[in-house]
């Protein structure tokens, strides 16, 4: 097995399974995890959000916690569907490839790993103590700094960053579309027609400004 061997320990934690990965030295590649498309009802407190992933190495498993004030309700596999095992308790998400060939391959574009249903009264959603692992439990160096402010205004044309938006339809959204021009399955597909083209640019220009 290439790279630095990792020690992988599986242990019970308050009736839940926790995977802890400890590195001997170097890490196995680099990746970025972000929040993707999301919705949240401030009346019921129930919402859902996609977890997006991009990396230069294959992904075999991951875990992260949610911050205080958030509760994980359910998980649905996107790319982490067939051949993956998904677990959660109120604060932790755990997923790993349970079959050979089920790993998520390296990609220059972000892919949706899972959809997470959650409960919150508001606040900022972040990745807490996130660990993403390659084959053999080798840890992938991961940028998990992305956050999601549930109380920001939403509009469908506000697709940057990572399809979650920042409350403004502006040049950042245009640049995101141009960066994925011609791609299919992109999180920056404003019109939802399956391809990035001039219609997405026109939709952004038509909604220019702050989301209301």
């Amino acid at each position: 097995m290439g790279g630095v061997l990792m020690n992988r320990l599986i242990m019970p934690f308050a009736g839940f399974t926790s995977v802890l990965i400890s590195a001997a030295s170097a890490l196995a590649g680099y990746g970025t995890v972000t929040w993707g498309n999301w919705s949240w009802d401030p009346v019921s407190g129930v919402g859902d959000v996609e977890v997006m992933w991009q990396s230069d190495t294959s992904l075999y498993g991951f875990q992260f916690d949610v911050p205080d004030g958030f509760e994980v309700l359910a998980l649905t596999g996107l790319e982490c569907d067939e051949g993956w095992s998904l677990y959660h308790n109120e604060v932790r998400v755990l997923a790993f490839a349970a079959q050979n060939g089920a790993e998520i391959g390296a990609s220059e574009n972000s892919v949706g790993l899972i959809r997470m249903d959650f409960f919150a009264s508001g606040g900022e959603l972040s990745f807490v103590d996130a660990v993403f692992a390659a084959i053999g439990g080798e840890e992938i160096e991961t940028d998990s700094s992305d956050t999601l402010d549930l109380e920001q205004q939403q509009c469908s044309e506000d697709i940057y960053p990572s399809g979650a938006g920042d409350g403004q339809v502006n040049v950042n959204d245009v640049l995101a579309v141009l960066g994925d021009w011609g791609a299919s399955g992109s999180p920056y597909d404003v019109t939802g027609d399956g391809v990035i083209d001039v219609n997405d640019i026109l939709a952004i220009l038509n909604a220019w400004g702050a989301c209301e």
Side-chain angles (χ1 to χ4, degrees):
M1 181 186 304
V4 178
L5 293 178
M6 312 292 293
N7 296 320
R8 183 170 180 168
L9 173 64
I10 301 179
M11 60 180 293
F13 174 73
F16 184 64
T17 302
S18 173
V19 175
L20 304 179
I21 303 173
S22 58
S25 56
L27 300 174
Y30 182 82
T32 303
V33 60
T34 56
W35 303 112
N37 293 322
W38 62 282
S39 65
W40 175 66
D41 180 3
V43 177
S44 67
V46 174
D48 65 86
V49 62
E50 294 178 355
V51 175
M52 309 297 295
W53 173 253
Q54 183 276 327
S55 178
D56 59 7
T57 192
S58 294
L59 176 68
Y60 282 76
F62 61 91
Q63 75 173 50
F64 61 85
D65 291 356
V66 295
D68 292 342
F70 286 81
E71 178 182 343
V72 181
L73 300 178
L75 302 176
T76 303
L78 298 176
E79 290 294 324
C80 297
D81 187 10
E82 186 174 355
W84 278 73
S85 293
L86 308 178
Y87 301 95
H88 73 89
N89 63 11
E90 292 182 354
V91 299
R92 177 164 296 167
V93 170
L94 170 66
F96 57 88
Q99 297 178 7
N100 291 333
E103 69 275 6
I104 308 300
S107 175
E108 294 182 356
N109 298 318
S110 294
V111 297
L113 297 179
I114 59 172
R115 178 178 294 108
M116 181 181 75
D117 294 347
F118 64 88
F119 172 83
S121 58
E124 189 172 80
L125 181 59
S126 61
F127 297 97
V128 179
D129 297 331
V131 179
F132 286 73
I135 188 170
E138 294 180 335
E139 185 175 359
I140 301 171
E141 182 179 2
T142 301
D143 178 357
S144 58
S145 61
D146 191 37
T147 59
L148 177 60
D149 182 358
L150 295 184
E151 296 168 30
Q152 72 182 25
Q153 294 295 319
Q154 292 179 264
C155 49
S156 60
E157 297 82 8
D158 178 23
I159 42 81
Y160 184 86
S162 306
D166 59 5
Q168 297 281 333
V169 179
N170 55 27
V171 67
N172 291 326
D173 303 292
V174 173
L175 293 175
V177 167
L178 293 177
D180 269 6
W181 195 261
S184 59
S186 168
Y188 306 126
D189 181 11
V190 177
T191 61
D193 62 1
V195 65
I196 301 296
D197 57 17
V198 67
N199 291 323
D200 299 289
I201 295 291
L202 293 175
I204 289 172
L205 294 178
N206 190 52
W208 200 264
C211 292
E212 298 179 355

